[in-house]
Amino acid sequence: VTLLVDAGRAVFLQRYQAFIASLKSEDLALLYFAGHGMQVGGENYLFPIDANVDSEADAKTRLVPLNALLADLSRVSRTRIVILDAC
């Protein structure tokens, strides 16, 4: 279990990559995210606690792209559950 509470972007991404590295293909991977999210240009993003977004360009560099997280999960684990509690 990897628990993050109120993580900034750098810590979120670092710990997520460590989580991904720990998975084996036969593992069940569960990702639960509760927080804010938004869609920009058809791409969904999750807000880390330190995100300050004033423009669309900011969203692409300061938020966490959901599709990238899902692609990483799909690459390493055959069974995945993703729960998003994001407004």
Side-chain angles (χ1 to χ4, degrees), residues 14-34:
Q14 177 187 36
R15 297 284 302 275
Y16 186 76
Q17 288 305 314
F19 169 69
I20 291 295
S22 74
L23 292 172
K24 298 177 182 73
S25 65
E26 64 273 6
D27 288 339
L28 169 83
L30 171 69
L31 170 65
Y32 175 82
F33 176 85

Side-chain angles (χ1 to χ4, degrees), residues 15-63:
R15 297 284 302 275
Y16 186 76
Q17 288 305 314
F19 169 69
I20 291 295
S22 74
L23 292 172
K24 298 177 182 73
S25 65
E26 64 273 6
D27 288 339
L28 169 83
L30 171 69
L31 170 65
Y32 175 82
F33 176 85
H36 293 285
M38 72 179 297
Q39 187 178 73
V40 177
E43 177 83 19
N44 293 305
Y45 294 91
L46 305 178
F47 273 79
I49 195 73
D50 60 353
N52 183 10
V53 177
D54 295 319
S55 68
E56 188 173 315
D58 288 346
K60 293 179 180 181
T61 59
R62 297 179 185 169
L63 302 180

